[in-house]
Amino acid sequence: MKRVAGVFSKWRKKRDFAYLVSRMDERLLLDVGYSREQAEDRLSKPFWKFD
């Protein structure tokens, strides 16, 4: 059961990260090392497929 909870916890973190990145402006994206194109490419994938 802990393993399932761990998977859901990781998915929740990835989902939250995707939400935050989708709300960032250009300056903040550049501060974390992403271009708008890179962010859009990553966000086009389902959050559970993030690496």
Side-chain angles (χ1 to χ4, degrees), residues 21-22 29 34-44 50:
V21 169
S22 72
L29 283 172
Y34 280 103
S35 69
R36 175 58 62 192
E37 294 79 21
Q38 289 171 317
E40 293 296 329
D41 180 55
R42 185 161 183 177
L43 293 173
S44 69
F50 286 178

Side-chain angles (χ1 to χ4, degrees), residues 12-28:
R12 186 175 50 247
K13 288 177 185 176
K14 290 178 180 185
R15 182 202 60 203
D16 294 346
F17 173 79
Y19 175 76
L20 290 173
V21 169
S22 72
R23 311 275 301 169
M24 289 181 175
D25 64 13
E26 291 293 322
R27 182 183 56 84
L28 289 174

